[in-house]
Amino acid sequence: MLGQIARRRLGLLLLLHGQQRISNGLNRVSFNQLLSKETHRHMQSSFNTSSPISTMSLWPFSFQPRDFSLPNSSWSPEMCKAYDHYNALCDTDTENGEEKKRGPWKKLPSYNRSIKYATGGIHLSKLIQAKARLFTRNVKEQGATFEYVVFVNKEEKSCVCVFQAGRLLEGAPGHVHGGAIATMIDTVTGSLAGYLSGPIMTANLNIDYRSPMPLDSVVLIQSTLDRIEGRKTFITCKVTSTDESKLYTEATALFVSISVGHLFGTRN
């Protein structure tokens, strides 16, 4: 639930634009569809995409956030090849306005703030800590740090991330910092846990580093659901080369389901 200050600011914005009411979709923040909207393929106009809010014309803000997981010029041929492989397995494709069924996978969008996944979150992010940015998406230069895309398979309760490590992630000379690898493991396992269980936070992360990872490497971060016990979601993970011949890291993670209020610093 939003605090009183945020509510007043929302009301003031609507008043200034001559509107008399807020739609039901903006009276609350729904995280039930967290990470459940598949972004349309790159190169499509943002004006052709559907919006989670039916009253977008009431708002003076841009309603199409940038999806950082789409291919860009910094991606290596290996990164593009892996992306194309998993993207071809995604569950739907849009051609001439018609959706065609394909495979069991879904590509997850990646924004620079987690709040944007919520109903109305694209606009709320402009009001609540507007300058905050997701750690893995806070560098403007493409290819310098974290380049990645996540695909999830709800049927198999698993996901795979294609990750390219940029030059600013160096630890030991010429190799990726262990903290950067841990960040990506937390990101990917958390994406799967959130997709399956709703709003969650990391409770425990155990990592075994098997081999050093060279800078500019393209790797697969594969995560699978182990089990769910009440509010606890247990995930296993491994980091390998794209052909899976090289094992870089193994990990287990525990996530705990939380209430929406915790995400806004409020109590229920």
Side-chain angles (χ1 to χ4, degrees):
M1 181 180 295
L2 295 175
Q4 292 183 354
I5 294 177
R7 285 183 179 276
R8 290 172 182 170
R9 294 180 71 179
L10 284 170
L12 178 60
L13 280 173
L14 289 174
L15 181 62
L16 291 174
H17 288 83
Q19 305 300 332
Q20 300 300 317
R21 62 181 180 177
I22 302 176
S23 68
N24 289 335
L26 295 177
N27 281 330
R28 64 184 182 275
V29 177
S30 172
F31 281 84
N32 291 333
Q33 296 179 348
L34 183 69
L35 302 178
S36 63
K37 292 288 185 181
E38 179 181 9
T39 304
H40 287 275
R41 300 185 69 177
H42 66 287
M43 303 304 290
Q44 277 190 297
S45 170
S46 62
F47 295 101
N48 292 330
T49 60
S50 60
S51 169
I53 304 177
S54 60
T55 56
M56 302 309 304
S57 60
L58 302 180
W59 292 86
F61 305 133
S62 170
F63 60 83
Q64 183 61 30
R66 174 187 170 188
D67 183 355
F68 286 77
S69 65
L70 295 176
N72 62 64
S73 60
S74 75
W75 285 20
S76 69
E78 185 179 8
M79 178 82 170
C80 292
K81 181 179 179 180
Y83 171 88
D84 290 341
H85 170 74
Y86 286 100
N87 196 50
L89 301 176
C90 285
D91 58 357
T92 59
D93 191 13
T94 302
E95 293 182 5
N96 300 323
E98 297 181 359
E99 280 193 347
K100 297 183 177 181
K101 292 290 183 181
R102 291 193 288 172
W105 292 86
K106 180 185 291 290
K107 175 191 169 296
L108 301 183
S110 180
Y111 308 132
N112 59 8
R113 293 203 70 191
S114 297
I115 193 175
K116 291 181 180 178
Y117 292 110
T119 300
I122 297 168
H123 312 296
L124 296 175
S125 69
K126 295 179 179 293
L127 302 175
I128 303 173
Q129 293 291 333
K131 293 184 179 181
R133 291 294 179 269
L134 191 66
F135 178 54
T136 56
R137 298 300 193 190
N138 65 2
V139 176
K140 292 184 178 180
E141 182 184 350
Q142 293 178 334
T145 56
F146 302 93
E147 289 292 337
Y148 64 96
V149 55
V150 177
F151 297 89
V152 66
N153 187 321
K154 192 170 186 179
E155 294 178 6
E156 298 180 359
K157 295 180 173 56
S158 65
C159 75
V160 61
C161 169
V162 185
F163 169 49
Q164 178 178 293
R167 70 182 191 283
L168 298 185
L169 300 183
E170 186 178 61
H175 291 83
V176 183
H177 194 289
I181 299 172
T183 294
M184 284 306 305
I185 290 174
D186 186 34
T187 297
V188 178
T189 54
S191 294
L192 178 60
Y195 190 84
L196 297 175
S197 301
I200 47 84
M201 296 195 81
T202 310
N204 184 267
L205 192 62
N206 289 310
I207 300 176
D208 292 316
Y209 296 95
R210 304 301 187 187
S211 301
M213 182 189 300
L215 285 175
D216 298 320
S217 291
V218 177
V219 300
L220 299 181
I221 305 174
Q222 302 178 69
S223 297
T224 304
L225 175 68
D226 181 22
R227 65 190 187 278
I228 296 177
E229 296 177 354
R231 295 173 55 224
K232 298 179 180 180
T233 301
F234 296 84
I235 306 290
T236 61
C237 179
K238 65 178 181 178
V239 183
T240 70
S241 57
T242 53
D243 62 3
E244 300 187 50
S245 63
K246 182 77 170 180
L247 177 63
Y248 290 109
T249 313
E250 291 179 299
T252 59
L254 166 62
F255 297 89
V256 177
S257 296
I258 61 171
S259 65
V260 173
H262 285 78
L263 299 177
F264 292 94
T266 62
R267 296 180 180 178
N268 289 337

